[in-house]
Amino acid sequence: MPGAQQADMERQGIAQVRYQIAGQREVVVLSFDSMYDYQATISLEVTQGQNFFGHMEELLETLSTDESMQAFHKHGAVMWHGILEPGSFFYVPMGHWVVERTLNTTCVCGMRTAVLESSPQAFSGWKRLREAHESMAGSDTALGKFWTTVNQFMA
């Protein structure tokens, strides 16, 4: 859908390699660690009954202007921004959030595959994402069970 926007963690928080086949897509990749640390500086707290993804959506909404993204960056946030053209590869590390939108009126098509990283830096960001999710949703969710399985491969 031309002009469509999406903001979410990348496929269960696992690292991804993407290949852009057709169309243009603007992408911002945000470190979960940076997002989680930043919420304290803007006094964003979990509201009664709010789930993890609702809370993260609220946090992303606070970053919807150029000014707020600049403040986030000045806070020391880890983030990347780019335009994907056909033939582009792009990598999303574990524990990162992706905000993307299609450009122009072209159809966008691409492929992606999951990658299990073994570096301590990659694992620590994903672990913090997992812990934050489990503190709000528990570990008995479908995502929690999936992450338990991934964690066994990472250990």
Side-chain angles (χ1 to χ4, degrees):
M1 237 205 245
Q5 289 188 194
Q6 173 73 25
D8 211 341
M9 84 177 143
E10 186 69 2
R11 298 286 177 170
Q12 296 96 8
I14 304 300
Q16 302 286 313
V17 176
R18 291 183 176 191
Y19 178 69
Q20 185 77 15
I21 296 171
Q24 290 182 313
R25 181 187 321 248
E26 180 178 23
V27 178
V28 178
V29 179
L30 307 165
S31 155
F32 176 77
D33 279 339
S34 296
M35 291 172 57
Y36 204 70
D37 291 342
Y38 186 67
Q39 72 178 343
T41 67
I42 60 171
S43 302
L44 181 65
E45 296 182 15
V46 179
T47 57
Q48 181 81 14
Q50 188 177 40
N51 70 30
F52 175 76
F53 293 104
H55 180 66
M56 295 312 297
E57 184 177 321
E58 187 178 349
L59 176 57
L60 285 169
E61 285 174 11
T62 69
L63 298 173
S64 62
T65 66
D66 289 341
E67 294 80 21
S68 61
M69 286 299 280
Q70 289 171 1
F72 182 55
H73 182 68
K74 286 180 184 173
H75 175 69
V78 176
M79 62 183 178
W80 299 271
H81 172 260
I83 306 293
L84 300 179
E85 301 281 347
S88 299
F89 278 95
F90 131 80
Y91 174 74
V92 180
M94 288 179 86
H96 282 66
W97 225 261
V98 178
V99 179
E100 57 190 323
R101 68 178 173 177
T102 60
L103 299 176
N104 305 322
T105 58
T106 61
C107 225
V108 173
C109 178
M111 301 182 324
R112 69 173 139 205
T113 188
V115 179
L116 287 180
E117 297 181 69
S118 59
S119 73
Q121 297 84 357
F123 187 67
S124 71
W126 175 78
K127 183 179 176 192
R128 189 162 184 209
L129 171 62
R130 179 182 177 201
E131 289 169 352
H133 176 268
E134 288 181 357
S135 73
M136 292 181 72
S139 60
D140 199 32
T141 63
L143 185 56
K145 291 175 183 176
F146 172 78
W147 281 347
T148 298
T149 302
V150 170
N151 194 50
Q152 291 169 353
F153 286 105
M154 300 300 291

